[in-house]
Amino acid sequence: MQNPHSAPVPELYVSYDSAQKLKVEAGELVSHDLTPRQICDVELLMNGGFAPLKGFLGQADYDGVVENMRLADGTLWPMPITLDVSEAFAEGIEEGQDIALRDQEGVILATMTVTDKWVPDKAREAEKVFGADDDAHPAVNYLHNQAGNVYLGGPVTGITPPMHYDFKARRSTPNELRAFFRKMGWRRVVAFQTRNPLHRAHQELTFRAAKEAQANLLIHPVVGMTKPGDVDHFTRVRCYEAVLDKYPAATTHMSLLPLAMRMAGPREAVWHGLIRKNHGCTHFIVGRDHAGPGKNSQGEDFYGPYDAQDLFREHAEEMGIEMVPFKHMVYVQERAQYEPNDEIADKDNVTILNISGTELRRRLQEGLEIPDWFSFPEVVKELRRTRPPRSKQGFTVFFTGFSGSGKSTIANALMVKLMEMGGRPVTLLDGDIVRKNLSSELGFSKEHRDLNIRRIGYVASEITKNGGIAICAPIAPYATTRRAVREEIEAHGAFCEVHVATPLEECEARDRKGLYKLAREGKIKEFTGISDPYDEPKNPELRLDTTNTDVDHCAHQVLLKLESMGLIAG
C-alpha cells in the first residue's frame, strides 16, 4: 500500500508551454503587485503547501474559516488566506475578471480569476482568528494598519514560482520533499518548526522527539515573514547549517519554508500541522506557547502555554498528522546534560540552569559570555557577526513632539555631542532638511505626512544597518507610523524614541515660525495640535519637557539614556 504521506500533492502550476502562453496573454490583464506577505502565500498556494486551497479564499470560505476554522465544504482550515487590496484597486475590478499577480519587480507569478470581492469585518477577524482585537498583536496591527480594506477571492493559476537567490539547495517544495523521503525510505518524519536560531536545548529536544516517535527529523525553519524583531533569516540559516553536523547525517534533513507567519498561537499550530502534512511529514512538534506573539496591551500573554497543544490534539486525527509535545528542556549542571524539566526527580538536590531568550539577547548586546552548555560556539559566532555589542551597533534617536517643542534644537545639540565623542558617523534628519532634500514634492495632508515619516524611517534604517547614528526630529504625530518606523529600524539596531513633551500652550507662545497664528486663523489646514490630533507616545524611551530647561541639559539627558541602553560606551 502506498503511504498517503508520500503520494504527490496537487499543485496549481500549469505546464511550461501553457505558462509561456499565459505570460504573453497576461500582458493585457490588470496587474496586482503582491506584498511580501502575499508573495509567501502565493508560493505556498501554487506548490501545494496550502492544499486543499485552490486560490485565495472566497467570501463563504473566509466566513467559515473565521467562524469555525472550516471551509464552506467542512474541510478543516484555520487561517484566512486572503488577497487584500486597496479600495482604489478594487473599484476597477469586476467579479469574473482575471488579474495578473506580480512580484515586486513586476515578474508575473500567477493569474487569478476574481470570484468574490467584499469588505471584511476586520475587528471580527482579529477577535476570532487571533483571540483579541488588540494592536499589540503583530498580525492584528498588520490587519488594521497595513492590509488593504477589500478582499478578493478566487482560484489561482500558477505560472512561475517566486525567485529566491539565497540558499537554493535548501528550498524544497512539498512534492520535492515527499520524493526525497520516498528515495530515503523514510516512512515516519517528525517536523520541527522554528523561527529562532537553534541552541543546545532545541537540539536535545528535536533529537528526543525523533527518538520517541521512532521517526526521522525534518528541521523546517520559516524564512518568510516572522515576528518583527526576530533574527533575520540569513543569519538563522547559517546558524542552522552550523548545527546540522550535530545530528546523525542519515536521519536528519533541513528544508526552508517560505511561510508568512501570523503568530496566531493555537490556530497557527493547527495550520503549521496541515502545512507539514502537505510536505510529507507524519509527526509535528508543538511547543509551549507555539507561535505566540508575546504580551498583549495588558502585559499578559496572548495565549495560554498549552492552548496550542490542546487545539492540535483535538484535531490531530482529522489532520492526519500526530503531535509530539514540546518538552521544556533545562540543563542539569551536576549531570552535565539536558533533561525535560518535568522529569527531574531530584530537583531540590541539583543545579538547574537556563537562559531565556531575553537574557540571551542581553548577553549578545553587551558582548557578555554565552556558555558552551547553552549554545554551540559556531552558533554564537554567527549571532555575534550579525549582532555586535550594542556600543558598536548603529542606532536611531527619534524625536517626536509638537511644532516648536524644541526637537530640532535638542537634535542639533545631540548631534554635536555625538560627533565630539567620535567612533560612528552621525546624520541628522531634521524635518525641514528632509522636506527640502527628500520630500520636496509632498504636501501636508495626512497621507503625505505619513509618507514623509516613512521616508525618514527608511533612510534612518539604512544608516542604522550600516553602523551609523541617525537622529530624526519630525513631528511624527501618528502612533501607527512611529511603530512601523520602529519595527523597520529595530531589525538592524536600536531605536530610542524621545518624546519632547513641551505643552502646546508653551509651543504656541514661542511660535518662532508664526505657524500657530496661521493655523488659528484657519490659513494652515490640518495643523498638529490645533486642527489635527497628536498621538502621545505611550512608552517612549525618554520624555523631555523644554519649558524653562536649557538645551544642553536636555541633550545631556538623551546621552545618559543612550549610555544606559549600552549604545555609547560609558
Side-chain angles (χ1 to χ4, degrees):
M1 151 190 153
Q2 195 178 24
N3 179 353
H5 290 269
S6 65
V9 286
E11 297 185 351
L12 304 180
Y13 290 112
V14 293
S15 71
Y16 176 79
D17 291 340
S18 308
Q20 298 315 103
K21 204 164 125 229
L22 268 177
K23 266 184 200 168
V24 177
E25 290 166 5
E28 307 294 308
L29 300 178
V30 174
S31 285
H32 170 66
D33 290 340
L34 298 161
T35 63
R37 176 158 123 171
Q38 291 168 351
I39 291 174
C40 292
D41 287 350
V42 164
E43 180 165 6
L44 288 168
L45 280 169
M46 297 192 299
N47 71 18
F50 284 172
L53 302 192
K54 299 276 186 282
F56 287 101
L57 298 184
Q59 194 170 356
D61 282 331
Y62 165 81
D63 288 339
V65 168
V66 169
E67 288 303 321
N68 57 20
M69 305 206 317
R70 292 187 183 277
L71 301 171
D73 68 4
T75 307
L76 181 72
W77 188 266
M79 200 57 58
I81 306 296
T82 48
L83 187 69
D84 58 278
V85 297
S86 67
E87 284 151 356
F89 181 82
E91 266 170 28
I93 301 297
E94 300 293 320
E95 290 181 1
Q97 183 177 346
D98 284 354
I99 59 172
L101 304 179
R102 297 179 183 274
D103 71 9
Q104 303 198 300
E105 271 80 56
V107 175
I108 182 158
L109 304 179
T111 61
M112 169 178 164
T113 304
V114 180
T115 55
D116 297 65
K117 175 170 95 167
W118 76 101
V119 175
D121 177 347
K122 288 186 175 183
R124 180 161 192 75
E125 180 177 334
E127 194 68 54
K128 288 287 199 178
V129 178
F130 304 107
D133 189 10
D134 178 346
D135 271 1
H137 193 300
V140 175
N141 177 50
Y142 184 94
L143 190 64
H144 289 308
N145 299 316
Q146 283 173 271
N149 288 330
V150 183
Y151 286 178
L152 303 180
V156 162
T157 302
I159 294 176
T160 183
M163 193 58 200
H164 298 289
Y165 297 103
D166 57 322
F167 307 114
K168 283 177 184 273
R170 296 265 182 221
R171 293 176 180 271
S172 305
T173 66
N175 283 330
E176 285 167 349
L177 267 185
R178 285 170 170 244
F180 173 78
F181 299 152
R182 277 199 302 276
K183 182 175 164 185
M184 299 296 284
W186 292 7
R187 299 297 298 258
R188 294 162 72 84
V189 181
V190 55
F192 180 58
Q193 142 87 29
T194 174
R195 49 172 248 274
N196 290 312
L198 294 187
H199 302 295
R200 285 191 191 261
H202 303 111
Q203 197 241 350
E204 197 60 44
L205 159 104
T206 47
F207 203 63
R208 278 172 179 257
K211 213 153 126 189
E212 259 170 53
Q214 295 183 311
N216 293 287
L217 175 67
L218 173 69
I219 299 173
H220 209 200
V222 170
V223 294
M225 298 168 73
T226 60
K227 189 179 153 197
D230 280 349
V231 178
D232 70 279
H233 84 264
F234 299 103
T235 303
R236 287 190 291 117
V237 175
R238 289 198 301 271
C239 288
Y240 302 139
E241 294 190 321
V243 180
L244 269 182
D245 310 348
K246 316 285 177 199
Y247 290 95
T251 62
T252 307
H253 186 65
M254 178 170 86
S255 177
L256 309 184
L257 180 69
L259 176 72
M261 286 182 69
R262 308 313 204 245
M263 309 306 296
R267 277 191 182 226
E268 182 110 7
V270 172
W271 189 42
H272 288 172
L274 290 167
I275 292 167
R276 288 344 189 279
K277 190 191 100 175
N278 287 333
H279 283 79
C281 301
T282 55
H283 293 70
F284 182 56
I285 300 171
V286 181
R288 280 175 79 249
D289 191 23
H290 185 96
K295 308 274 183 223
N296 63 16
S297 305
Q298 277 64 58
E300 290 151 16
D301 287 333
F302 269 95
Y303 311 114
Y306 298 107
D307 291 359
Q309 293 185 358
D310 294 344
L311 191 68
F312 198 103
R313 204 175 277 115
E314 201 181 307
H315 295 288
E317 198 175 328
E318 181 180 357
M319 289 159 68
I321 185 166
E322 283 180 54
M323 175 173 81
V324 182
F326 195 118
K327 302 271 201 313
H328 183 45
M329 306 295 286
V330 290
Y331 188 74
V332 181
Q333 192 170 9
E334 284 74 2
R335 294 195 273 276
Q337 66 185 21
Y338 274 92
E339 296 176 19
N341 195 24
D342 50 4
E343 289 173 23
I344 301 171
D346 51 353
K347 267 202 179 106
D348 302 338
N349 308 323
V350 294
T351 320
I352 290 176
L353 302 176
N354 198 12
I355 291 184
S356 67
T358 314
E359 170 67 6
L360 173 68
R361 279 192 291 277
R362 185 185 77 84
R363 291 186 181 212
L364 283 168
Q365 274 163 5
E366 297 177 19
L368 301 174
E369 189 220 1
I370 292 163
D372 278 0
W373 63 260
F374 175 76
S375 193
F376 303 100
E378 302 91 326
V379 171
V380 175
K381 188 175 144 200
E382 280 303 338
L383 291 173
R384 288 203 197 280
R385 274 176 59 193
T386 312
R387 283 279 158 118
R390 275 199 136 172
S391 59
K392 295 192 168 64
Q393 279 181 27
F395 64 87
T396 293
V397 182
F398 193 95
F399 291 93
T400 169
F402 292 122
S403 176
S405 60
K407 301 182 301 297
S408 299
T409 321
I410 305 170
N412 271 296
L414 176 67
M415 173 175 76
V416 173
K417 285 177 187 287
L418 288 168
M419 288 169 88
E420 183 188 4
M421 293 169 73
R424 282 175 280 198
V426 186
T427 306
L428 176 65
L429 297 166
D430 183 38
D432 297 339
I433 301 173
V434 169
R435 281 276 176 185
K436 209 158 53 212
N437 296 304
L438 200 63
S439 298
S440 56
E441 87 289 8
L442 297 183
F444 288 89
S445 65
K446 179 178 191 314
E447 195 183 346
H448 275 192
R449 281 150 71 184
D450 252 3
L451 186 55
N452 184 45
I453 303 301
R454 291 294 179 108
R455 287 180 185 177
I456 292 173
Y458 170 71
V459 175
S461 77
E462 288 295 311
I463 290 167
T464 301
K465 177 164 75 179
N466 289 294
I469 299 172
I471 302 174
C472 312
I475 294 171
Y478 310 122
T480 47
T481 316
R482 293 196 302 262
R483 172 176 174 166
V485 167
R486 175 186 286 271
E487 286 177 0
E488 186 171 10
I489 287 165
E490 283 183 341
H492 306 295
F495 183 85
C496 177
E497 182 175 36
V498 181
H499 177 207
V500 184
T502 311
L504 188 64
E505 307 68 68
E506 173 69 21
C507 297
E508 193 164 358
R510 294 176 184 172
D511 204 9
R512 278 197 210 96
K513 303 176 190 166
L515 298 173
Y516 283 95
K517 183 172 177 292
L518 293 171
R520 289 282 182 206
E521 291 165 2
K523 289 177 183 160
I524 300 180
K525 298 272 178 273
E526 298 180 327
F527 190 80
T528 301
I530 305 295
S531 50
D532 206 52
Y534 177 78
D535 303 336
E536 191 160 302
K538 286 202 176 70
N539 31 20
E541 276 69 14
L542 185 64
R543 249 186 248 282
L544 298 171
D545 180 347
T546 60
T547 318
N548 307 325
T549 315
D550 67 23
V551 171
D552 207 48
H553 173 75
C554 291
H556 196 68
Q557 293 309 108
V558 181
L559 274 184
L560 290 172
K561 183 71 205 178
L562 294 173
E563 199 178 306
S564 77
M565 289 171 75
L567 293 166
I568 52 181

